[in-house]
Amino acid sequence: MNRNDLEQVRTFLHEYDGPEIRLMEVCGTHTASIAKNGIPALLSPAIHLISGPGCPVCVTVTDYIDRLVSLSRTPGTAVVSFGDLLRVRGSRLSLADARADGADVRMVYAPMQMLDFAAREPDRTFVFAAVGFETTAPVYALTLEEAARRELRNVKLLTSLKTMPEVIRAVVRAGTPDGRGRIDGFLAPGHVCAVTGSNEYQELAEETGLPFVVSGFTGPQLLASIAALVKLQGRGTCLNFYPEVVTGTGNAEAKALCRKYYEPCDASWRGLGSIPRSGLRLREEYRTLDAGSSGLDGDHAARGCECAKVLTGQIMPVECPLFGRICTPQYPNGACMVSQEGSCYNWYISGRTR
Amino acid sequence: MCVAYPGTVLAVKDRTALIDFSGTRVEALTGLVRTKPGDRVLVHAGCVLQVLPPEEADEMQSLFDEIASLSEEDMKETAG
Ligand code: SF4
């Protein structure tokens, strides 16, 4: 890589004085990396970055957390989860609260670890808190496949699996042309695209008339993608700026595995309500592996929390009256401040103000 | 949560691979892609998501070239 090229991109982004442009990243890992690399401070005041509904933990409704809490307190049942979800509160309690109270909650970094628990403790049912997007859905499917091969019958999923295209359409629909929710282009989620392929995003670009750039996760990759979006404004086209990982058609094995285990379903998103065909659920023939995922649509966020508006780009985190005063990473009020990929969390830790 | 880490495959078994992440060794499922020892791979949630091209490949250069070519198109559009 030529340092000069990177410098040119930085200068372009810093000195840009064209029309105000609002770009949304729809991947929580992008949100975290943008904060870590201090990218907002490198951009001209005319370029705004908005975190979309791309942090699976942040978009999960309270009914789902409540169901996990109640499963974890059921005798003979353990809930297995990634760390990020543990501190997110449902209508009253989080999984961490339940665990402190004696419930069986186990934290892992990979769903596959649950299979060793299940083999060691055959009399206990293990329920994985299967949240995530297209990237993680095949990992859960592979875990079920592996469980079947190892003849483990005490393994289930509580699914809250989401897919990107429909929620992106919903975000575009929600924004008025001159209003605050307006989005002029999207950083497309690099690892989601590794599974789905970038062609889906070309379709979205043509349909919405907005540019999409599939981006990697390093500082230079993100700057390059943002520069491309600025230059592409007004054009409905998609560029793949992460070609070492993403192809047009994606990962055929992962897609086949997802088709085998899941079917599209309506899904409830914090801040956006129920969106048709924006989720995945286990197919009828695998429903015995489901721990009661359907109908968990109610969302009762903490009082005063503006997560819903933050997640759709209607307000910036600093505009929430609780931000930094009552709501901090130590004492989070909403999911966006709990998750390390949350918009509020990342604004707080990086001291971002615009 | 879609975070993924690059590592190198040390050994491949039936359905798993032993991956080295700069000294830390972790087992990962290989059901989504075929891998062999020596491959650089991207691992997500204990599962190999993709095989990466060799480290020498300078992907960034082609991105910068592409950005530069976008400007030329822009200029052509303004000129035309
Ligand atoms: S600052 Fe806290 S209360 Fe306000 S929107 Fe963010 S997470 Fe919710």
Side-chain angles (χ1 to χ4, degrees):
Chain A
M1 171 172 86
N2 186 336
R3 286 214 71 78
N4 245 341
D5 287 319
L6 182 57
E7 271 319 304
Q8 273 178 23
V9 163
R10 286 179 64 152
T11 309
F12 168 74
L13 289 172
H14 191 69
E15 291 175 359
Y16 170 80
D17 60 357
E20 293 244 337
I21 177 164
R22 294 167 50 86
L23 305 174
M24 178 175 270
E25 86 272 2
V26 280
C27 166
T29 311
H30 277 156
T31 304
S33 185
I34 285 167
K36 200 177 92 202
N37 287 287
I39 288 181
L42 303 177
L43 306 178
S44 135
I47 305 172
H48 303 275
L49 291 184
I50 296 127
S51 306
C55 155
V57 170
C58 306
V59 296
T60 299
V61 294
T62 50
D63 264 12
Y64 177 80
I65 306 283
D66 289 346
R67 172 93 187 131
L68 285 175
V69 167
S70 96
L71 283 166
S72 74
R73 294 167 142 182
T74 307
T77 305
V79 167
V80 188
S81 167
F82 292 121
D84 248 19
L85 200 63
L86 294 193
R87 289 173 64 219
V88 177
R89 237 184 299 157
S91 56
R92 228 166 47 79
L93 297 177
S94 67
L95 280 174
D97 296 331
R99 184 169 64 178
D101 216 28
D104 194 345
V105 179
R106 307 193 193 181
M107 196 192 94
V108 294
Y109 74 89
M112 183 178 68
Q113 290 171 273
M114 171 173 69
L115 304 186
D116 295 330
F117 301 151
R120 275 199 301 268
E121 298 167 65
D123 296 331
R124 191 172 286 272
T125 300
F126 290 86
V127 178
F128 203 96
V131 297
F133 289 103
E134 291 97 324
T135 324
T136 322
V139 178
Y140 298 127
L142 202 58
T143 306
L144 292 180
E145 192 97 332
E146 207 40 35
R149 199 186 61 83
R150 289 168 65 175
E151 294 180 2
L152 297 168
R153 293 184 216 296
N154 52 336
V155 165
K156 288 179 191 246
L157 302 182
L158 190 74
T159 59
S160 177
L161 293 169
K162 307 249 188 333
T163 50
M164 279 287 168
E166 291 307 325
V167 73
I168 289 176
R169 288 189 177 98
V171 167
V172 173
R173 273 197 304 272
T176 48
D178 51 348
R180 306 211 59 192
R182 187 198 84 225
I183 303 298
D184 302 307
F186 287 89
L187 285 170
H191 292 144
V192 164
C193 289
V195 171
T196 65
S198 60
N199 291 350
E200 275 190 6
Y201 292 82
Q202 178 61 37
E203 281 169 32
L204 275 170
E206 287 168 17
E207 181 189 315
T208 57
L210 298 173
F212 285 69
V213 173
V214 181
S215 180
F217 296 85
T218 66
Q221 284 171 329
L222 284 161
L223 287 174
S225 302
I226 294 166
L229 279 174
V230 172
K231 291 191 172 189
L232 286 169
Q233 57 187 299
R235 289 194 233 168
T237 187
C238 174
L239 291 183
N240 178 5
F241 265 32
Y242 198 27
E244 63 270 41
V245 171
V246 174
T247 61
T249 52
N251 184 319
E253 277 84 1
K255 283 160 91 171
L257 205 56
C258 285
R259 272 195 304 273
K260 176 176 169 186
Y261 279 93
Y262 311 119
E263 61 190 9
C265 66
D266 301 351
S268 291
W269 300 66
R270 171 162 300 164
L272 292 150
S274 176
I275 302 175
R277 294 178 73 81
S278 66
L280 297 171
R281 65 172 177 208
L282 286 166
R283 284 186 182 281
E284 190 67 54
E285 55 269 45
Y286 298 108
R287 223 40 82 70
T288 51
L289 301 173
D290 184 278
S293 313
S294 75
L296 303 176
D297 299 317
D299 196 28
H300 311 283
R303 257 185 59 205
C305 177
E306 300 276 16
C307 278
K309 284 186 187 153
V310 169
L311 283 165
T312 47
Q314 313 277 332
I315 64 166
M316 295 185 287
V318 286
E319 292 174 280
C320 169
L322 305 186
F323 181 90
R325 299 187 185 91
I326 291 166
C327 184
T328 63
Q330 288 74 37
Y331 300 101
N333 221 55
C336 300
M337 190 62 95
V338 177
S339 168
Q340 296 191 10
E341 298 192 342
S343 186
C344 299
Y345 174 88
N346 280 289
W347 279 60
Y348 187 88
I349 57 146
S350 64
R352 184 170 164 189
T353 53
R354 69 159 197 91
Chain B
M1 220 184 82
C2 291
V3 66
Y5 299 100
T8 308
V9 177
L10 296 174
V12 177
K13 274 193 279 177
D14 202 13
R15 286 175 169 76
T16 59
L18 187 63
I19 320 272
D20 173 67
F21 297 97
S22 350
T24 311
R25 293 171 176 201
V26 174
E27 208 165 23
L29 289 171
T30 54
L32 305 181
V33 274
R34 230 164 296 202
T35 58
K36 56 181 187 319
D39 279 350
R40 279 205 333 130
V41 292
L42 205 53
V43 178
H44 166 67
C47 189
V48 180
L49 190 65
Q50 184 66 285
V51 178
L52 298 168
E55 207 148 13
E56 311 85 69
D58 192 353
E59 303 282 346
M60 278 315 289
Q61 191 54 55
S62 56
L63 300 191
F64 289 130
D65 293 346
E66 192 153 353
I67 294 173
S69 79
L70 285 177
S71 311
E72 273 160 36
E73 270 173 47
D74 283 342
M75 280 188 282
K76 265 184 253 159
E77 273 176 25
T78 359

